[in-house]
Amino acid sequence: MATRTRRTERREEPLSRERIVEAAIGLLDTAGERGLTFRALAEHLATGPGAIYWHVTGKEELLGAATEAVVGTMTAGTAGATPQEEIRTLALGVFDAIETHPWIGTQLARAPGKSPMLRVFEHLGRQVQALGVPHTAQFTAVSALLNYVLGVAGQNAANARAHQAHQPDTGRAEFLDTAATAWADLDPAEYAFTRGVADQLRDHDDREEFLAGIDLILTGITARYQ
Amino acid sequence: MATRTRRTERREEPLSRERIVEAAIGLLDTAGERGLTFRALAEHLATGPGAIYWHVTGKEELLGAATEAVVGTMTAGTAGATPQEEIRTLALGVFDAIETHPWIGTQLARAPGKSPMLRVFEHLGRQVQALGVPHTAQFTAVSALLNYVLGVAGQNAANARAHQAHQPDTGRAEFLDTAATAWADLDPAEYAFTRGVADQLRDHDDREEFLAGIDLILTGITARYQ
DNA sequence: ACCTGAACACCGTTCAAGT
DNA sequence: ACCTGAACACCGTTCAAGT
């Protein structure tokens, strides 16, 4: 009876690009990449699917905007750190963003020259420059770092997708355990090496492993170009 | 009038998993990832879409089988080469396979523990072992290499997708040139580094750049673990 | 200017019916 | 056993019609 103002408060909030992107991120986080649908999004925003198109040209742009919104909140600089530390922090930022929003892993790999990745490229580049890498090698060095990050990103996104689809109620440790057991059961002739490192898969830490890869590339960069 | 045998020869070739996968690869290569449709595939095989499901469980399996078929023809070993050379050859094999079949870039990133990638992992692993990397670091070293390869793979696939969609009739050199020009036009304050390496983007060689990244990681591995 | 929702042109997948 | 093709349950996107 007294709900008139209350209800309109919710209803009258006008549709905007910002609200749409926000709702899209929520849908992607909770329902996965397959869960983002113009119909589901419209229902979430209490409108019809056509309304969204007035604020956004299509699904591709919507995914791009969602990725930018997430990645944009991420490029903070730690003052007074070594270039190596800055690169580690930057890379970890991407890693963590993907952990909370696995779908940006797919999205980053999909938009090559587009802005979210270009920003990461720029920041990595400045640190590589600070490392003293000669100009002619800077592009190569940054590309190596970025491609590695993107590879991990894509892998994590795929893992999240598979995890959500197949065993949504198991933890990461449990998942690694089953994978490691499967590796240990492989044909000894064809997969001798993989069998041998199955134990390392079982008790590894994703973040640490990711950072170890970054360090490996950094070592290569400094050994070669410094 | 004398075409009876001729015609039947074509028509009677029975549907098989092999023929379906082959047709799917053809469709993916010529029409891109979006071009692979059960209806298009059925038309290509002169049958109905339902027939395909008798030989293949669904689209995911079909894409997986197509990827395996392409990657499977690729793991040749060069006898009497150093581990470094073997790794380079192996990585270049993946790179070249992606260049002729860009869609496997997406596909490799999508199937983490699945067989095509596991084979590459195994072969890389053997060479890393031959390099003398201690057991506890082998998983990390191979992961770094593989993630880098997958990052480039995804990037190349995305580029091919964008290229086919936007400027299908321009060459790679032309594409790099426009990209480099766009970089050189970026805001000097926000993108100082990227602007500075625009020239390196313009006249770089994809294969060489890819190998330079591999070498950087190899340098890191040997510097740290040998 | 902005929203609505039916309609269009597609998908992947299923399934009764055929051979 | 294997194939056919209509039908189902979805998509993204458009567009006349409303406010």
Side-chain angles (χ1 to χ4, degrees), chain A residues 28 50 91 124 131 147 180 201 203 206:
Chain A
L28 285 163
L124 284 175
L131 230 41
N147 277 314
L201 174 68
D203 38 55
D206 291 326

Side-chain angles (χ1 to χ4, degrees), chain A residues 179-202:
Chain A
T181 307
W183 279 20
D185 277 345
L186 288 168
D187 175 15
E190 250 189 300
Y191 290 100
F193 172 78
T194 306
R195 279 170 57 95
V197 295
D199 55 321
Q200 291 178 48
L201 174 68
R202 182 175 277 110

Side-chain angles (χ1 to χ4, degrees), chain A residues 15 39 47-51 54-55:
Chain A
L15 209 51
R39 277 167 245 264
T47 179
W54 202 92
H55 297 90

Side-chain angles (χ1 to χ4, degrees), chain B residues 15 39 47-51 54-55:
Chain B
L15 209 50
R39 277 167 245 264
T47 179
W54 202 91
H55 296 90

Side-chain angles (χ1 to χ4, degrees), chain A residues 159 163 167 170-184 197-207 209, chain B residues 139:
Chain A
N159 279 331
H163 194 264
Q167 332 96 318
T170 62
R172 176 71 180 159
E174 211 169 328
F175 170 77
L176 284 177
D177 195 75
T178 13
T181 307
W183 279 20
V197 295
D199 55 321
Q200 291 178 48
L201 174 68
R202 182 175 277 110
D203 38 55
H204 89 157
D205 178 290
D206 291 326
R207 262 172 79 98
E209 203 66 52
Chain B
F139 182 81

Side-chain angles (χ1 to χ4, degrees), chain A residues 149-164:
Chain A
V149 171
L150 290 176
V152 176
Q155 226 45 30
N156 280 16
N159 279 331
R161 208 159 25 215
H163 194 264
Q164 183 161 26

Side-chain angles (χ1 to χ4, degrees), chain A residues 190-191, chain B residues 67-79 86-97 104 108 115-127 146 149:
Chain A
E190 250 189 300
Y191 290 100
Chain B
T67 308
E68 258 183 274
V70 166
V71 176
T73 63
M74 195 207 70
T75 38
T78 8
E86 291 254 35
I87 288 172
R88 266 190 285 264
T89 311
L90 201 58
L92 264 188
V94 181
F95 184 87
D96 288 339
I104 72 168
L108 285 177
S115 42
M117 248 190 40
L118 203 59
R119 201 139 39 214
V120 180
F121 183 84
E122 171 72 20
H123 285 265
L124 284 175
R126 293 184 184 197
Q127 302 311 319
L146 190 56
V149 171

